[in-house]
Amino acid sequence: MMEGLKKILIAIPVLFLSTISVAQFAVGKTNVEGAGLLDFGTGKGLILPWVETAASTDADGTLIFDTTDNKVKARINGAWVDLSENSGTLNTAKANKVSQHLLKTENDNNIILGSTTPSANGVLVLESTDKALILPKMASPHLNMVDPEPGTIVYDTDANLMCVFNGEEWTFWGE
Amino acid sequence: MQQGSFSDEIQRDLTADDIAGLRYAMAGLDEIAGTADDYTLELTYAGLTTSADIVIDFDNSQTGFAVSQSGGSFINADHIRITTNTIYFNTNYNWYFNTVTSSGPAPPNAVCTPYTAQLSSSGTVTITASGVDGGTTDPNGDPFTLSVSPSTFTCADIGENMVTLTATDVDGSSTCTAIVTVVDSGDSLAAVCQDITVSLDNSGNASIIPNDLDGGSTVGDCGFGTTFMTTVSTTSNSLQTLFSGTTQAEGNMFDVKAQQDIIINSFDIKLSNGLTTDIEVYFKEGTWVGSETTAGDWTLVATANSITSSGFNNPTPLNLNMGISVKSGNRVAFYVTRSSGSGGFTYSQGTAVGNTLASDTNITVFEGAGKFYPFSSTFAPRNFNGNIIYNTVDPFNGNFDTSDLGNNTIILNVEDNGGNIETCDAVVTIVESSPCVRPPLLTGTPQPSNTAFTSVNVGAWPGNLNNAFLALESKEKGLVITRMASPETSIGNGADAVQGMLVYDTDDQCLKLYNGTTWNCISQGCPD
């Protein structure tokens, strides 16, 4: 499944007005564990979209990298909550990437996994009442991931923490 | 004394020497019968029959004398008689003493006692036998010598050691075992502190251990020891003696004993109405008794000039900050006195020097003396009228919270194996929690990203994004993860739950992460 998905994305990346309703997806590995809806391998992360307009209408459970203050944020109980402790200060290369991104034109594309109808606004919407995103895993990403991108989210298997990167520093979340 | 061991030996009458020997045997070294050093005189006979007729007469009232057959049965006293000069035997029988013995010769009786040996600064100590001698004696008064083994100890022997004390005289030797406790001398014990800054954690707490404050303390001759922390209580205690006195001189001497570690800082005193005077406070370890006129025994620890009476019936505060540390169980003495002028320093008549004047759970003040200045005439017993202002020194568990923001003085105590303690003060600056953030690794080659979902026009992307299994791109839309009622129920904790799962819990209204064991609403953490 991962291979098929990957081919589509690489070959025709702009034609993403598609609705995929398949049970489980894996990227960077060959099988999905447990009740994973979207599963990843080990050694890399997931880059959240670089959003310049964090919509107040977004659904709870929406994750973004907010380019207005360079923070990873989550929509929780009707409000945007910072997952990054501080605003990130981007170096020139990173700032250029973000500014080039913001020059692009937004399409109305999205991907829905787990359902045929979107219930929320998102570039990737995971729909299930009993399946979950399994974060990509890595040992101590703050020590091992070279030059991460703003908005990177990854699970630290050493510390059992979710790590988010604001372009300058990592913030950590656990129990 | 031998009166023939066997029936074919020559029999004879007892001589005067024999009688003296018998008396000596009866009465011991102190020549008093019935005391612990008495000899045991044993007269036994092999072959005695009950028809024998031996009469024993004592020349005094010491009648605790018995004769037995070799088998142990006592001979009827009607059958044997001992007079002052002779033991008479029934001539019808071939009597003899099988053996006549006393308990001597006797070796000394070694008695041990525990001993504590302090190592020297070089880490060794040699003990003498007398150190572990608990009262060795010799039953028959012979001179004896004592030896102990082992007698030399080093750092390796700190703690309890078993030694053998041997007492030897001409008759032989005996031994006993003593415990020698080897302790550190404290000669090389020194407390060295360092100031530290500690951030509260996200919960507003912080904790330190003694080592955090240690700036290079040397703990004993052998490097052994423990460290612990104490703090001075933030609120002062005040022990009042009384304020009813009307007797005056220029000062008081009195003892204070600590029931727990305290720091004595100041006094309130009783001065005559309208009096303004200068006050001196002298201090010494131990009692004032015996030092009342010896200025050299005392240290001037505080002066308070131009102190004006708060009124005859009111305590007049000196507002000193002496900082005199008194360990629990220790007694110290103070001499509080005017340093100019006469009279006006008011106190009470006492009952007896050394009687308790006032006490609380931490300190006791004793009846002392009135004094003319300086170290002059003594009037005793006299009772200090006033308050003793002190702070307790309490164990500190190392925990801080938001109420401790700023500077805190913590006392580092280093204690060696001998119970010697040295202290130093460390300033612990507590600052607000510093969130846990970490910089990224910037050296090396990033991993490429190959997979992307996008809702914008793309160029070189996602190849120019680092380290992602999946890159999402949008200027307006986010990643929406699955929303569900409690994942503990919806997914459970079984095989369906996978470490790293992240959902939005619509019941708890939180991002919930599965750590491999449990689901938890996320809160900020730190990888180290």
Side-chain angles (χ1 to χ4, degrees):
Chain A
M1 185 53 62
M2 179 269 296
E3 289 298 323
L5 178 65
K6 185 175 171 184
K7 283 177 185 170
I8 292 171
L9 294 169
I10 297 302
I12 43 175
V14 294
L15 298 179
F16 278 157
L17 186 59
S18 55
T19 299
I20 304 172
S21 178
V22 185
Q24 295 179 300
F25 300 84
V27 182
K29 65 192 298 189
T30 55
N31 65 302
V32 176
E33 293 185 60
L37 180 57
L38 176 58
D39 195 2
F40 298 94
T42 298
K44 294 198 281 189
L46 165 66
I47 299 175
L48 297 172
W50 299 346
V51 170
E52 63 178 352
T53 51
S56 61
T57 55
D58 278 354
D60 286 342
T62 303
L63 302 175
I64 63 167
F65 176 75
D66 189 337
T67 60
T68 62
D69 56 5
N70 291 343
K71 285 182 173 180
V72 175
K73 296 179 180 176
R75 190 76 181 173
I76 293 175
N77 199 16
W80 287 108
V81 174
D82 292 346
L83 294 185
S84 294
E85 175 66 31
N86 302 306
S87 293
T89 300
L90 306 186
N91 61 27
T92 304
K94 289 279 186 291
N96 285 343
K97 281 187 185 178
V98 173
S99 59
Q100 286 169 17
H101 162 73
L102 295 178
L103 291 174
K104 296 171 183 173
T105 304
E106 181 78 17
N107 298 318
D108 200 18
N109 301 340
N110 65 3
I111 301 252
I112 304 165
L113 299 185
S115 174
T116 56
T117 54
S119 68
N121 179 42
V123 61
L124 172 61
V125 182
L126 305 183
E127 292 287 353
S128 173
T129 56
D130 59 3
K131 291 190 172 55
L133 165 71
I134 304 173
L135 292 169
K137 295 188 182 71
M138 186 169 181
S140 297
H142 66 291
L143 301 178
N144 296 316
M145 183 182 286
V146 180
D147 196 15
E149 301 293 348
T152 300
I153 182 170
V154 61
Y155 185 86
D156 179 354
T157 52
D158 283 340
N160 281 338
L161 295 169
M162 179 180 83
C163 315
V164 297
F165 187 65
N166 67 355
E168 182 185 7
E169 64 196 11
W170 292 94
T171 305
F172 305 87
W173 294 85
E175 58 185 285
Chain B
M1 182 171 68
Q2 181 85 6
Q3 190 65 14
S5 290
F6 300 100
S7 58
D8 58 351
E9 288 183 286
I10 296 170
Q11 312 291 299
R12 65 174 173 83
D13 288 346
L14 297 181
T15 66
D17 282 345
D18 295 332
I19 299 304
L22 280 168
R23 286 175 171 166
Y24 193 45
M26 287 291 293
L29 288 174
D30 59 7
E31 301 188 353
I32 300 171
T35 57
D37 60 352
D38 285 1
Y39 288 83
T40 300
L41 177 65
E42 183 182 316
L43 305 176
T44 60
Y45 170 68
L48 183 70
T49 69
T50 56
S51 60
D53 182 16
I54 301 173
V55 178
I56 303 175
D57 285 345
F58 292 95
D59 62 350
N60 58 28
S61 61
Q62 304 302 317
T63 58
F65 186 84
V67 176
S68 69
Q69 298 181 59
S70 57
S73 300
F74 285 103
I75 299 172
N76 188 314
D78 293 337
H79 297 287
I80 183 169
R81 170 181 291 171
I82 300 177
T83 71
T84 54
N85 293 307
T86 309
I87 293 182
Y88 294 93
F89 301 99
N90 184 322
T91 55
N92 294 326
Y93 295 90
N94 186 20
W95 288 101
Y96 62 94
F97 287 110
N98 183 21
T99 57
V100 180
T101 60
S102 71
S103 60
N109 178 31
V111 178
C112 281
T113 191
Y115 182 71
T116 298
Q118 274 202 341
L119 292 170
S120 70
S121 58
S122 60
T124 62
V125 62
T126 299
I127 65 168
T128 61
S130 60
V132 292
D133 177 16
T136 300
T137 56
D138 187 72
N140 46 17
D142 293 334
F144 58 85
T145 59
L146 294 172
S147 64
V148 62
S149 177
S151 60
T152 299
F153 303 92
T154 68
C155 290
D157 302 312
I158 277 185
E160 292 189 348
N161 299 266
M162 307 298 275
V163 300
T164 300
L165 175 69
T166 303
T168 306
D169 73 357
V170 293
D171 296 328
S173 65
S174 69
T175 64
C176 59
T177 301
I179 296 173
V180 173
T181 304
V182 176
V183 299
D184 206 332
S185 71
D187 291 348
S188 59
L189 183 67
V192 179
C193 279
Q194 63 180 2
D195 298 340
I196 60 173
T197 298
V198 179
S199 298
L200 296 176
D201 63 19
N202 292 325
S203 306
N205 297 306
S207 184
I208 64 170
I209 59 174
N211 275 356
D212 296 333
L213 307 180
D214 187 2
S217 299
T218 50
V219 186
D221 303 324
C222 301
F224 294 129
T226 58
T227 54
F228 58 95
M229 296 180 288
T230 52
T231 52
V232 178
S233 62
T234 51
T235 53
S236 291
N237 298 47
S238 175
L239 173 62
Q240 178 174 318
T241 57
L242 64 162
F243 270 101
S244 59
T246 55
T247 310
Q248 296 186 349
E250 282 120 40
N252 270 144
M253 280 183 184
F254 54 91
D255 289 356
V256 174
K257 187 176 181 183
Q259 278 93 250
Q260 89 134 55
D261 293 355
I262 57 169
I263 291 180
I264 298 176
N265 283 319
S266 188
F267 301 101
D268 300 337
I269 60 174
K270 180 168 185 172
L271 293 178
S272 295
N273 266 334
L275 178 63
T276 295
T277 186
D278 297 338
I279 299 291
E280 291 176 345
V281 180
Y282 295 85
F283 166 81
K284 75 179 286 291
E285 302 275 358
T287 181
W288 63 268
V289 177
S291 299
E292 54 266 40
T293 58
T294 309
D297 289 351
W298 298 79
T299 303
L300 177 65
V301 291
T303 58
N305 294 331
S306 301
I307 297 296
T308 298
S309 171
S310 300
F312 191 60
N313 290 318
N314 297 322
T316 300
L318 299 181
N319 296 323
L320 305 174
N321 188 21
M322 299 186 296
I324 291 177
S325 176
V326 186
K327 291 289 182 189
S328 177
N330 283 3
R331 178 188 288 260
V332 297
F334 290 96
Y335 173 28
V336 186
T337 183
R338 296 183 65 182
S339 57
S340 61
S342 62
F345 194 106
T346 307
Y347 47 83
S348 311
Q349 303 280 338
T351 305
V353 169
N355 276 10
T356 296
L357 173 58
S359 67
D360 60 19
T361 57
N362 302 312
I363 63 171
T364 301
V365 185
F366 299 94
E367 295 193 9
K371 293 292 293 181
F372 279 147
Y373 183 82
F375 299 98
S376 185
S377 302
T378 304
F379 313 97
R382 296 292 185 272
N383 294 340
F384 174 67
N385 276 209
N387 299 320
I388 291 93
I389 315 296
Y390 69 94
N391 293 65
T392 56
V393 179
D394 305 315
F396 178 60
N397 60 11
N399 294 333
F400 298 94
D401 59 29
T402 51
S403 68
D404 302 310
L405 286 170
N407 288 347
N408 301 267
T409 299
I410 308 298
I411 304 166
L412 175 66
N413 298 253
V414 295
E415 180 174 12
D416 71 8
N417 194 272
N420 309 295
I421 296 179
E422 293 288 335
T423 64
C424 56
D425 289 351
V427 175
V428 179
T429 304
I430 300 297
V431 296
E432 293 278 8
S433 61
S434 64
C436 176
V437 294
R438 294 289 181 272
L441 174 66
L442 291 174
T443 57
T445 305
Q447 305 238 36
S449 304
N450 325 88
T451 311
F453 294 165
T454 183
S455 64
V456 295
N457 298 322
V458 296
W461 179 93
N464 69 342
L465 294 178
N466 298 335
N467 304 306
F469 284 114
L470 175 65
L472 302 177
E473 188 165 62
S474 170
K475 293 161 64 177
E476 299 173 357
K477 296 186 284 291
L479 162 65
V480 186
I481 61 175
T482 51
R483 292 128 285 152
M484 64 183 67
S486 301
E488 292 93 331
T489 306
S490 306
I491 297 177
N493 289 310
D496 281 350
V498 180
Q499 187 185 44
M501 276 188 167
L502 185 69
V503 303
Y504 183 81
D505 184 331
T506 54
D507 288 341
D508 289 343
Q509 305 274 30
C510 70
L511 291 181
K512 205 165 259 188
L513 182 68
Y514 190 71
N515 63 10
T517 308
T518 55
W519 289 97
N520 299 288
C521 288
I522 61 169
S523 62
Q524 223 168 322
C526 204
D528 47 42

